[in-house]
Amino acid sequence: MADHQNGGSKPSASGSGAYTIDLENFSKRLEAFYSHWGKHKSDFWSSSDAVAIATPPTSEDLRYLKSSALNIWLLGYEFPETIMVFMNKQIHFLCSQKKANLLETIKKSAHEAVGADLIIHVKAKHDDGTALMEEIIRAICVQSKSDSPIIGYITKEAPEGRLLETWSEKLGSSSLQLTDVTNGFSDLFAVKDVSELTCIKKAAYLTSSVMKNFVVPKLERVIDEEKKVSHSSLMDDTEKAILDPSRVKVKLKAENVDICYPPIFQSGGQFDLRPSASSNDEDLYYDSTSVIVCAIGSRYNSYCSNVARTFLIDATASQSKAYEVLLKAHDASVSALKPGNTVAAAYQAALAVVQKEAPELLPNLTKSAGTGIGLEFRESGLSLNSKNNRLLKAGMVFNVCLGFQNLQAQTNNPKTEKYSLLLADTVIVSEKPPEVLTAGCSKSVKDVAYSFNEEEEEEPPRVRSDMKSTGVLPSKATLRSDNQEMSKEELRKQHQAELARQKNEETARRLAGGGSAGAEGRGPARTSSELIAYKNANDIPFSKELAIQVDQKNEAILLPIYGSMVPFHVSTVKSVTSHQDNRTCTIRIIFNVPGTPFTPHDANSLKFPGATYLKEITFRSKDPRHSSEVVQLIKTLRRHVASRESERAERATLVTQEKLQVSGNRMKLIKLPDLWIRPSFGGRGRKLTGTLETHVNGFRYATSRPDERVDIMFANIKHAFFQPAEREMITLLHFHLHNHIMVGNKKTKDVQFYVEVMDVVQTLGGGRRSALDPDEIEEEQRERERKNRINMEFQNFVNKVHDLWAQPQFKGLDLEFDMPLRELGFHGVPHKSSAFIVPTSTCLVELIETPFLVVTLSEIEIVNLERVGFGQKNFDMAIVFKDFKRDVLRIDSIPSSSVDGIKEWLDTTDLKYYESRLNLNWRPILKTITEDPEKFIEDGGWEFLNMEASDSDSENTEESDQGYEPSDVEPESASDDEGKDSESLVESDEDEEDSEEDSEEEKGKTWEELEREASNADREKGDESDSEDEKRRRKAKALGKSRIPDRRDPKGAPPKRRKFK
C-alpha cells in the first residue's frame, strides 16, 4: 500500500500496523459518494447498479489515475492491486491479507454511514482470484435483481497486472452491461472539503515558496555570475528543493511532499507549454531579448498545486506588450471564477481581453485557461475551455494556466526569434473573490522583467550596462564600475534621507503625546520592611554570661551593653570585623544608620523621625577563639539573610504568570533531553542536565532534582532563537521574555538551553599529531557526526514546536524560532569582552557569551556610528531606544571593515543611522530632548547628528564638535565596570590617533634637536638671573610642548581634567 502516493514511486507498506484509516473521514466521504450516486445516477453515473473500481499495481512512473484518487479520497492511502465493488447494500473488496487486516477496521463505519455490509475477499499469494471474482459477480446479480445489471467502471484505465487482466476478462465474458462512470467521479471530486483545501493550500504555499525563494534567486545568481547551467540541472535542483521543504524555510514534513511533474525550464527559442513538457539538456539562454519559462508543481498528501512564471531579459516593446496583455487576460480569467458562472466564462473572459488589447495574438493563445486540480493534476470534466457549460461551485480548485505559443520577435538571433509566454496560478473558487493561493510569487512586470540596458531608467535596482558586440553580459550585482557603486550608495542615501524624515515625524508625535518621560527617576526607591527580632522582651533568650551571642533562629545578635543583653536584628549590621593584638581581641560592629550615604531613609526612620541610632560599637575580649567564632557566625547569618531578602525582593517585582497546563496522556510530549541551562540553578551540588518539555501553554525544564524546575509560558516569550553550532562549541535554544522569571534564585529575562557539541579532549604525550593521522581523521569525523546529529535533534524539536505554534490558539502570540544570519554578523564589545554579534530578522543578538545581548529592532529609535573616519581601525555603535528612559546601548571596538555591511543591514531593515567622528555623552543629550521636545523638533530633530550636513560648512567644524565630550569623560554608564572597559578601549584608539598626529608633526626631529630647541627657547624667553627651579620648569615646559600635543580647546582654555569614574 503506497502511503499518500497517487500512482507514484513510494513503496507499499510492509504491514497494516503502520497505517490507520481515519474513520470519521471515511464515513463522511462514503456517505457523500452514495448520496451523489443516488442523486445523479442517470446524468453522471450512467444509471449504473454497481460501481467496480480496480486499482493497478504501483509504478515508478508519475501518473494520475481516478482509481488511485478514489483510494486516497476515501481511505487515505492508495491500495494497489485491489478491486472495489460498490452496491446499494454491499461493498466488496478483493485484496491481499495485509490490506484486508486494515480494511477490517472500517466495517462498522461503512454500515453506520450508508447501511452497506463490507465484505472482504482475501486473495492467496499465488492465486489468480478467479473464484473470488465469480463470487463477486454473482453477488452483483443477486443484489440488482437482474440477469444483466449495469456496472460502472473507468474505461480509460487499461488493466495492468495479472489480477486486473483476469478481472477485465471476467467482466467481458459475463452478462453484465459495462458503462463509463468517469464523469461521476469527476463531479464528486470537484468540490473539496475543508481538509482537502488545507492540503492544497499547503501544497500551493510550498510551490510558491520554491519559486520565490529558490528558483528566482537561482536564476538571478546564474545570470549575475554568467554561469552555464543546463535546463535539466535546474530541474534536478528545483526538484530537490521541493522534496526538502526546509531548504525554502517551509515547515512541512518531507515524507508528505512530492512533485506533480518534473520542474520545467525552457529558454533559447524551444518552448512547449504543455504540462507533459520536459526540460532539455541545453544551457539556460539569457542574452538580450531572451525569454525564460519556469513551471513547477508540488503535492502535499497527494493534493496538487501549480505555478508558472515567465521572465523577460531586455524585452523589446512587442514582448513587453504581449506579456502585459497575457497578464490582464490571466487576471480576467481568475476574476471570472465565481460560483454560478459557467466554467467556460473563465476562458471567454481571457479571450475578450486579448480580442480588445491585441487581436493579432489570438491565434497564439492557448486553447484553454487551465483545468481543475486536486488529487489529479488535471481533473477531467473541469477544463477551462470555451465549450464547458458546467457550473462553478464554491470549493472548486483550478490551475489557471494561460499562455501565448510561438510568438515572433524582431531579432536575427535564432535563439530569440521565437518565444512563448506562460502564466499559471492555483485558485480556489469561493463566495468571496477567488483566492489565488500562489499569489506570494509575483508575476507583475516589474518583478519578472530584467533590464541590462543603461538607457532604461524605469527600474533602477535592476539596471545594467547594455550588451556590447562582444556578447559579454555585465554582472548584475558585482562592482565592475564606479558608476554602479555610486548609484548603490546614492540609493542608500536617498532611503536614509526618507527614513530621517519619517523618524523625526514619529519622534515628534511620540514626544508630543508624552510617550517618553525624562531620564530622571529610574524606578522607585527600594523600601525595607520593619525589622523585628523579638515581639516582646520575654522572647529574648536568658543568658547567665554577658557575652556576645548569635540567635540564628530569630536572626538576631545579642550584645551586652551596660549589663543588659540588647538584641539587634542582623540586617541592621553593616559590617563586623575583629582585630587581635598581643593580649586582647577587639570586635568592631558598624550599623546601618538611616540618612547616611548609601543608606536611605527606610520605613522605620520615617515612622520614628526623632529616634536615636547606634552607629558603631566595639568590644574587647581576652578569648580570641570565641571572638573569631562570633564574628564568623554574624557574617554567615548576615549573608544568609541578605541573600534571602534579596531573592524575596526580586520575586516581589515579578509579574504573575499563568500556571502551566501539563499535557495529558492524549497529547504526545515534545521533548529535548540532556540540556544544560543558563543561568544555572544555585547550590553547591554537582550540576545536572535536564529535559525541556512542551506542554499545553508553555515549556517546562526540569532536572532529576525536584527543586530544579523552570516553567516558561508561551505568552511570556517575546523572542525565541535557534542557533545551530557551526563555528561555536554549543547548539542552543534561547528565549527572551516579556517579563522576568526566577531561575533558581536569579531573576532573568533570558533563558537558554544548550548542548556542547564537542568534548574537551586533552592529548597526552604532547607531540603534534599529523593531519594525515588515521586517529585524528577518525576523531574529526566523530565530532562532525556528533555536531550534525545534535543540530538535527534541535531542528526536529523546533519544527514540532512550530507545528504546535501554528494552531489557532497561538496565532495572536506571533511565535516563531528565529535563526541568526551569520553572514551579516560582526565582532564587537557589547559588555566586557569581544563577541560575535549577529542580526536576525527581528533582533540583534549575541547568545554565546554572558551576559547575553538581545536588542529588538522595532524598539530602536536611531543608531549612531561613532569614531568613523579614515585611519581608524575600529568604530563604535550607539543604539538609542524609543524609550528615552533606557540607557543607550554601546557596542565598542567594531572593526572598520564591517562598517559597510552594517550600513547595508541597517538600511535594509529601515533603521536610520548617523555617523560621527567622536563618542557622544548620551545621557545629557536625551535629558535635553525630553525636557524640551519642541525645541528638539524645531532644530531638525535627529539631524544634529548628520555629519555630512555639519561638514558642509567647513569653517564651523570645530564649533560643531565642541559641546560633545568623548566617552572617556562620560560621567555615567550602565555599570562602572562597563564604563571602565569602554573607556580603556576608546582611549587606546584615541591615543593611537594622537601619537600618529605627533609623529606627523615632529617628523624627522631627534631628541637632541628637541633638547636644543628647548634650550634656545629658555635663553630667548628667560632671564639669566632666574633661579635654577625656574629654568628647569621652563625647560620641561618647552620640552613637553614638543612631546605632548596641546589638549587645549581652540579658544585657548586650559585642558579639561579627566573625570574619575
PDB file of all heavy atoms in Angstrom, residues 332-362:
ATOM      1  N   ALA A 332      -8.192  38.440 -15.672  1.00  0.00           N
ATOM      2  CA  ALA A 332      -9.614  38.398 -16.024  1.00  0.00           C
ATOM      3  C   ALA A 332     -10.163  36.988 -15.889  1.00  0.00           C
ATOM      4  O   ALA A 332     -11.296  36.776 -15.432  1.00  0.00           O
ATOM      5  CB  ALA A 332      -9.802  38.914 -17.452  1.00  0.00           C
ATOM      6  N   SER A 333      -9.371  36.009 -16.291  1.00  0.00           N
ATOM      7  CA  SER A 333      -9.795  34.615 -16.185  1.00  0.00           C
ATOM      8  C   SER A 333      -9.987  34.216 -14.714  1.00  0.00           C
ATOM      9  O   SER A 333     -10.961  33.546 -14.369  1.00  0.00           O
ATOM     10  CB  SER A 333      -8.750  33.714 -16.846  1.00  0.00           C
ATOM     11  OG  SER A 333      -9.174  32.387 -16.872  1.00  0.00           O
ATOM     12  N   VAL A 334      -9.061  34.639 -13.853  1.00  0.00           N
ATOM     13  CA  VAL A 334      -9.189  34.348 -12.419  1.00  0.00           C
ATOM     14  C   VAL A 334     -10.432  35.013 -11.839  1.00  0.00           C
ATOM     15  O   VAL A 334     -11.193  34.400 -11.072  1.00  0.00           O
ATOM     16  CB  VAL A 334      -7.909  34.799 -11.671  1.00  0.00           C
ATOM     17  CG1 VAL A 334      -8.114  34.720 -10.164  1.00  0.00           C
ATOM     18  CG2 VAL A 334      -6.712  33.958 -12.086  1.00  0.00           C
ATOM     19  N   SER A 335     -10.658  36.256 -12.212  1.00  0.00           N
ATOM     20  CA  SER A 335     -11.805  37.005 -11.675  1.00  0.00           C
ATOM     21  C   SER A 335     -13.141  36.392 -12.071  1.00  0.00           C
ATOM     22  O   SER A 335     -14.147  36.569 -11.378  1.00  0.00           O
ATOM     23  CB  SER A 335     -11.753  38.462 -12.153  1.00  0.00           C
ATOM     24  OG  SER A 335     -10.562  39.081 -11.717  1.00  0.00           O
ATOM     25  N   ALA A 336     -13.165  35.679 -13.196  1.00  0.00           N
ATOM     26  CA  ALA A 336     -14.421  35.078 -13.681  1.00  0.00           C
ATOM     27  C   ALA A 336     -14.782  33.799 -12.939  1.00  0.00           C
ATOM     28  O   ALA A 336     -15.881  33.258 -13.143  1.00  0.00           O
ATOM     29  CB  ALA A 336     -14.323  34.796 -15.177  1.00  0.00           C
ATOM     30  N   LEU A 337     -13.895  33.298 -12.075  1.00  0.00           N
ATOM     31  CA  LEU A 337     -14.168  32.058 -11.351  1.00  0.00           C
ATOM     32  C   LEU A 337     -15.023  32.362 -10.121  1.00  0.00           C
ATOM     33  O   LEU A 337     -14.540  32.442  -8.991  1.00  0.00           O
ATOM     34  CB  LEU A 337     -12.852  31.381 -10.945  1.00  0.00           C
ATOM     35  CG  LEU A 337     -11.965  30.879 -12.096  1.00  0.00           C
ATOM     36  CD1 LEU A 337     -10.650  30.353 -11.565  1.00  0.00           C
ATOM     37  CD2 LEU A 337     -12.689  29.803 -12.903  1.00  0.00           C
ATOM     38  N   LYS A 338     -16.314  32.531 -10.346  1.00  0.00           N
ATOM     39  CA  LYS A 338     -17.262  32.842  -9.284  1.00  0.00           C
ATOM     40  C   LYS A 338     -18.378  31.805  -9.269  1.00  0.00           C
ATOM     41  O   LYS A 338     -18.799  31.328 -10.335  1.00  0.00           O
ATOM     42  CB  LYS A 338     -17.862  34.237  -9.497  1.00  0.00           C
ATOM     43  CG  LYS A 338     -16.831  35.361  -9.432  1.00  0.00           C
ATOM     44  CD  LYS A 338     -17.487  36.711  -9.705  1.00  0.00           C
ATOM     45  CE  LYS A 338     -16.461  37.827  -9.658  1.00  0.00           C
ATOM     46  NZ  LYS A 338     -17.063  39.156  -9.977  1.00  0.00           N
ATOM     47  N   PRO A 339     -18.865  31.442  -8.096  1.00  0.00           N
ATOM     48  CA  PRO A 339     -19.968  30.472  -8.035  1.00  0.00           C
ATOM     49  C   PRO A 339     -21.165  30.937  -8.862  1.00  0.00           C
ATOM     50  O   PRO A 339     -21.569  32.100  -8.793  1.00  0.00           O
ATOM     51  CB  PRO A 339     -20.312  30.428  -6.542  1.00  0.00           C
ATOM     52  CG  PRO A 339     -19.071  30.880  -5.849  1.00  0.00           C
ATOM     53  CD  PRO A 339     -18.439  31.895  -6.758  1.00  0.00           C
ATOM     54  N   GLY A 340     -21.735  30.024  -9.651  1.00  0.00           N
ATOM     55  CA  GLY A 340     -22.880  30.370 -10.504  1.00  0.00           C
ATOM     56  C   GLY A 340     -22.480  30.598 -11.942  1.00  0.00           C
ATOM     57  O   GLY A 340     -23.289  30.380 -12.861  1.00  0.00           O
ATOM     58  N   ASN A 341     -21.256  31.050 -12.207  1.00  0.00           N
ATOM     59  CA  ASN A 341     -20.778  31.200 -13.580  1.00  0.00           C
ATOM     60  C   ASN A 341     -20.512  29.823 -14.182  1.00  0.00           C
ATOM     61  O   ASN A 341     -20.312  28.838 -13.469  1.00  0.00           O
ATOM     62  CB  ASN A 341     -19.480  32.015 -13.626  1.00  0.00           C
ATOM     63  CG  ASN A 341     -19.725  33.503 -13.414  1.00  0.00           C
ATOM     64  OD1 ASN A 341     -20.872  33.928 -13.298  1.00  0.00           O
ATOM     65  ND2 ASN A 341     -18.651  34.270 -13.339  1.00  0.00           N
ATOM     66  N   THR A 342     -20.480  29.770 -15.491  1.00  0.00           N
ATOM     67  CA  THR A 342     -20.082  28.528 -16.150  1.00  0.00           C
ATOM     68  C   THR A 342     -18.566  28.429 -16.162  1.00  0.00           C
ATOM     69  O   THR A 342     -17.853  29.431 -16.045  1.00  0.00           O
ATOM     70  CB  THR A 342     -20.606  28.472 -17.597  1.00  0.00           C
ATOM     71  OG1 THR A 342     -20.028  29.554 -18.333  1.00  0.00           O
ATOM     72  CG2 THR A 342     -22.122  28.570 -17.631  1.00  0.00           C
ATOM     73  N   VAL A 343     -18.063  27.202 -16.327  1.00  0.00           N
ATOM     74  CA  VAL A 343     -16.618  27.003 -16.404  1.00  0.00           C
ATOM     75  C   VAL A 343     -16.060  27.736 -17.621  1.00  0.00           C
ATOM     76  O   VAL A 343     -14.953  28.267 -17.582  1.00  0.00           O
ATOM     77  CB  VAL A 343     -16.301  25.493 -16.471  1.00  0.00           C
ATOM     78  CG1 VAL A 343     -14.824  25.257 -16.713  1.00  0.00           C
ATOM     79  CG2 VAL A 343     -16.752  24.798 -15.191  1.00  0.00           C
ATOM     80  N   ALA A 344     -16.851  27.815 -18.697  1.00  0.00           N
ATOM     81  CA  ALA A 344     -16.386  28.470 -19.927  1.00  0.00           C
ATOM     82  C   ALA A 344     -16.158  29.957 -19.732  1.00  0.00           C
ATOM     83  O   ALA A 344     -15.412  30.575 -20.493  1.00  0.00           O
ATOM     84  CB  ALA A 344     -17.399  28.233 -21.049  1.00  0.00           C
ATOM     85  N   ALA A 345     -16.779  30.568 -18.720  1.00  0.00           N
ATOM     86  CA  ALA A 345     -16.664  32.020 -18.525  1.00  0.00           C
ATOM     87  C   ALA A 345     -15.220  32.443 -18.296  1.00  0.00           C
ATOM     88  O   ALA A 345     -14.825  33.549 -18.688  1.00  0.00           O
ATOM     89  CB  ALA A 345     -17.540  32.454 -17.342  1.00  0.00           C
ATOM     90  N   ALA A 346     -14.411  31.588 -17.684  1.00  0.00           N
ATOM     91  CA  ALA A 346     -13.015  31.944 -17.413  1.00  0.00           C
ATOM     92  C   ALA A 346     -12.245  32.131 -18.721  1.00  0.00           C
ATOM     93  O   ALA A 346     -11.506  33.110 -18.880  1.00  0.00           O
ATOM     94  CB  ALA A 346     -12.367  30.862 -16.554  1.00  0.00           C
ATOM     95  N   TYR A 347     -12.410  31.186 -19.643  1.00  0.00           N
ATOM     96  CA  TYR A 347     -11.680  31.302 -20.908  1.00  0.00           C
ATOM     97  C   TYR A 347     -12.253  32.443 -21.763  1.00  0.00           C
ATOM     98  O   TYR A 347     -11.508  33.162 -22.427  1.00  0.00           O
ATOM     99  CB  TYR A 347     -11.746  29.991 -21.685  1.00  0.00           C
ATOM    100  CG  TYR A 347     -10.902  29.991 -22.939  1.00  0.00           C
ATOM    101  CD1 TYR A 347      -9.517  29.916 -22.852  1.00  0.00           C
ATOM    102  CD2 TYR A 347     -11.487  30.067 -24.200  1.00  0.00           C
ATOM    103  CE1 TYR A 347      -8.741  29.916 -24.000  1.00  0.00           C
ATOM    104  CE2 TYR A 347     -10.719  30.079 -25.357  1.00  0.00           C
ATOM    105  CZ  TYR A 347      -9.333  30.007 -25.249  1.00  0.00           C
ATOM    106  OH  TYR A 347      -8.562  30.015 -26.387  1.00  0.00           O
ATOM    107  N   GLN A 348     -13.564  32.613 -21.720  1.00  0.00           N
ATOM    108  CA  GLN A 348     -14.179  33.695 -22.507  1.00  0.00           C
ATOM    109  C   GLN A 348     -13.719  35.068 -22.014  1.00  0.00           C
ATOM    110  O   GLN A 348     -13.529  35.988 -22.814  1.00  0.00           O
ATOM    111  CB  GLN A 348     -15.701  33.577 -22.429  1.00  0.00           C
ATOM    112  CG  GLN A 348     -16.249  32.368 -23.191  1.00  0.00           C
ATOM    113  CD  GLN A 348     -17.697  32.069 -22.848  1.00  0.00           C
ATOM    114  OE1 GLN A 348     -18.282  32.704 -21.973  1.00  0.00           O
ATOM    115  NE2 GLN A 348     -18.277  31.070 -23.531  1.00  0.00           N
ATOM    116  N   ALA A 349     -13.501  35.218 -20.707  1.00  0.00           N
ATOM    117  CA  ALA A 349     -13.009  36.493 -20.172  1.00  0.00           C
ATOM    118  C   ALA A 349     -11.603  36.776 -20.677  1.00  0.00           C
ATOM    119  O   ALA A 349     -11.274  37.917 -21.050  1.00  0.00           O
ATOM    120  CB  ALA A 349     -13.022  36.450 -18.640  1.00  0.00           C
ATOM    121  N   ALA A 350     -10.759  35.740 -20.699  1.00  0.00           N
ATOM    122  CA  ALA A 350      -9.402  35.921 -21.219  1.00  0.00           C
ATOM    123  C   ALA A 350      -9.431  36.242 -22.704  1.00  0.00           C
ATOM    124  O   ALA A 350      -8.692  37.112 -23.191  1.00  0.00           O
ATOM    125  CB  ALA A 350      -8.580  34.652 -20.964  1.00  0.00           C
ATOM    126  N   LEU A 351     -10.309  35.564 -23.431  1.00  0.00           N
ATOM    127  CA  LEU A 351     -10.435  35.777 -24.877  1.00  0.00           C
ATOM    128  C   LEU A 351     -10.853  37.219 -25.169  1.00  0.00           C
ATOM    129  O   LEU A 351     -10.327  37.859 -26.096  1.00  0.00           O
ATOM    130  CB  LEU A 351     -11.461  34.792 -25.439  1.00  0.00           C
ATOM    131  CG  LEU A 351     -11.354  34.403 -26.907  1.00  0.00           C
ATOM    132  CD1 LEU A 351     -10.056  33.657 -27.158  1.00  0.00           C
ATOM    133  CD2 LEU A 351     -12.544  33.535 -27.304  1.00  0.00           C
ATOM    134  N   ALA A 352     -11.770  37.748 -24.359  1.00  0.00           N
ATOM    135  CA  ALA A 352     -12.251  39.119 -24.572  1.00  0.00           C
ATOM    136  C   ALA A 352     -11.132  40.130 -24.368  1.00  0.00           C
ATOM    137  O   ALA A 352     -11.038  41.128 -25.114  1.00  0.00           O
ATOM    138  CB  ALA A 352     -13.404  39.405 -23.614  1.00  0.00           C
ATOM    139  N   VAL A 353     -10.270  39.910 -23.384  1.00  0.00           N
ATOM    140  CA  VAL A 353      -9.156  40.843 -23.143  1.00  0.00           C
ATOM    141  C   VAL A 353      -8.186  40.836 -24.315  1.00  0.00           C
ATOM    142  O   VAL A 353      -7.761  41.896 -24.788  1.00  0.00           O
ATOM    143  CB  VAL A 353      -8.428  40.461 -21.829  1.00  0.00           C
ATOM    144  CG1 VAL A 353      -7.133  41.251 -21.676  1.00  0.00           C
ATOM    145  CG2 VAL A 353      -9.322  40.708 -20.632  1.00  0.00           C
ATOM    146  N   VAL A 354      -7.832  39.645 -24.803  1.00  0.00           N
ATOM    147  CA  VAL A 354      -6.886  39.564 -25.924  1.00  0.00           C
ATOM    148  C   VAL A 354      -7.507  40.169 -27.178  1.00  0.00           C
ATOM    149  O   VAL A 354      -6.834  40.877 -27.944  1.00  0.00           O
ATOM    150  CB  VAL A 354      -6.469  38.099 -26.174  1.00  0.00           C
ATOM    151  CG1 VAL A 354      -5.530  38.002 -27.371  1.00  0.00           C
ATOM    152  CG2 VAL A 354      -5.808  37.525 -24.929  1.00  0.00           C
ATOM    153  N   GLN A 355      -8.801  39.913 -27.394  1.00  0.00           N
ATOM    154  CA  GLN A 355      -9.503  40.471 -28.548  1.00  0.00           C
ATOM    155  C   GLN A 355      -9.464  41.993 -28.536  1.00  0.00           C
ATOM    156  O   GLN A 355      -9.276  42.634 -29.577  1.00  0.00           O
ATOM    157  CB  GLN A 355     -10.960  39.985 -28.537  1.00  0.00           C
ATOM    158  CG  GLN A 355     -11.802  40.489 -29.694  1.00  0.00           C
ATOM    159  CD  GLN A 355     -11.503  39.754 -30.993  1.00  0.00           C
ATOM    160  OE1 GLN A 355     -11.407  38.540 -30.997  1.00  0.00           O
ATOM    161  NE2 GLN A 355     -11.334  40.508 -32.080  1.00  0.00           N
ATOM    162  N   LYS A 356      -9.569  42.576 -27.348  1.00  0.00           N
ATOM    163  CA  LYS A 356      -9.595  44.033 -27.227  1.00  0.00           C
ATOM    164  C   LYS A 356      -8.194  44.639 -27.289  1.00  0.00           C
ATOM    165  O   LYS A 356      -7.968  45.641 -27.976  1.00  0.00           O
ATOM    166  CB  LYS A 356     -10.270  44.411 -25.907  1.00  0.00           C
ATOM    167  CG  LYS A 356     -10.318  45.914 -25.647  1.00  0.00           C
ATOM    168  CD  LYS A 356     -10.957  46.210 -24.294  1.00  0.00           C
ATOM    169  CE  LYS A 356     -10.940  47.712 -24.016  1.00  0.00           C
ATOM    170  NZ  LYS A 356     -11.509  48.020 -22.678  1.00  0.00           N
ATOM    171  N   GLU A 357      -7.237  44.035 -26.547  1.00  0.00           N
ATOM    172  CA  GLU A 357      -5.911  44.644 -26.403  1.00  0.00           C
ATOM    173  C   GLU A 357      -4.979  44.326 -27.571  1.00  0.00           C
ATOM    174  O   GLU A 357      -4.189  45.175 -27.990  1.00  0.00           O
ATOM    175  CB  GLU A 357      -5.266  44.156 -25.093  1.00  0.00           C
ATOM    176  CG  GLU A 357      -6.045  44.488 -23.843  1.00  0.00           C
ATOM    177  CD  GLU A 357      -5.937  45.954 -23.466  1.00  0.00           C
ATOM    178  OE1 GLU A 357      -4.972  46.601 -23.911  1.00  0.00           O
ATOM    179  OE2 GLU A 357      -6.806  46.436 -22.719  1.00  0.00           O
ATOM    180  N   ALA A 358      -4.988  43.078 -28.060  1.00  0.00           N
ATOM    181  CA  ALA A 358      -4.048  42.685 -29.122  1.00  0.00           C
ATOM    182  C   ALA A 358      -4.658  41.547 -29.940  1.00  0.00           C
ATOM    183  O   ALA A 358      -4.310  40.375 -29.764  1.00  0.00           O
ATOM    184  CB  ALA A 358      -2.715  42.246 -28.505  1.00  0.00           C
ATOM    185  N   PRO A 359      -5.614  41.847 -30.823  1.00  0.00           N
ATOM    186  CA  PRO A 359      -6.290  40.787 -31.582  1.00  0.00           C
ATOM    187  C   PRO A 359      -5.331  39.960 -32.444  1.00  0.00           C
ATOM    188  O   PRO A 359      -5.630  38.811 -32.770  1.00  0.00           O
ATOM    189  CB  PRO A 359      -7.300  41.561 -32.453  1.00  0.00           C
ATOM    190  CG  PRO A 359      -6.832  42.980 -32.435  1.00  0.00           C
ATOM    191  CD  PRO A 359      -6.132  43.184 -31.147  1.00  0.00           C
ATOM    192  N   GLU A 360      -4.165  40.535 -32.802  1.00  0.00           N
ATOM    193  CA  GLU A 360      -3.215  39.786 -33.614  1.00  0.00           C
ATOM    194  C   GLU A 360      -2.612  38.599 -32.862  1.00  0.00           C
ATOM    195  O   GLU A 360      -2.026  37.687 -33.480  1.00  0.00           O
ATOM    196  CB  GLU A 360      -2.083  40.705 -34.106  1.00  0.00           C
ATOM    197  CG  GLU A 360      -1.132  41.215 -33.036  1.00  0.00           C
ATOM    198  CD  GLU A 360      -1.649  42.451 -32.280  1.00  0.00           C
ATOM    199  OE1 GLU A 360      -2.825  42.811 -32.496  1.00  0.00           O
ATOM    200  OE2 GLU A 360      -0.870  43.016 -31.490  1.00  0.00           O
ATOM    201  N   LEU A 361      -2.767  38.577 -31.512  1.00  0.00           N
ATOM    202  CA  LEU A 361      -2.206  37.477 -30.711  1.00  0.00           C
ATOM    203  C   LEU A 361      -3.196  36.340 -30.493  1.00  0.00           C
ATOM    204  O   LEU A 361      -2.842  35.324 -29.888  1.00  0.00           O
ATOM    205  CB  LEU A 361      -1.737  38.006 -29.349  1.00  0.00           C
ATOM    206  CG  LEU A 361      -0.645  39.079 -29.368  1.00  0.00           C
ATOM    207  CD1 LEU A 361      -0.322  39.515 -27.940  1.00  0.00           C
ATOM    208  CD2 LEU A 361       0.612  38.569 -30.055  1.00  0.00           C
ATOM    209  N   LEU A 362      -4.443  36.481 -30.961  1.00  0.00           N
ATOM    210  CA  LEU A 362      -5.459  35.446 -30.742  1.00  0.00           C
ATOM    211  C   LEU A 362      -5.044  34.065 -31.251  1.00  0.00           C
ATOM    212  O   LEU A 362      -5.272  33.060 -30.575  1.00  0.00           O
ATOM    213  CB  LEU A 362      -6.790  35.865 -31.377  1.00  0.00           C
ATOM    214  CG  LEU A 362      -7.666  36.808 -30.557  1.00  0.00           C
ATOM    215  CD1 LEU A 362      -8.887  37.248 -31.358  1.00  0.00           C
ATOM    216  CD2 LEU A 362      -8.119  36.108 -29.270  1.00  0.00           C
TER     217      LEU A 362
END
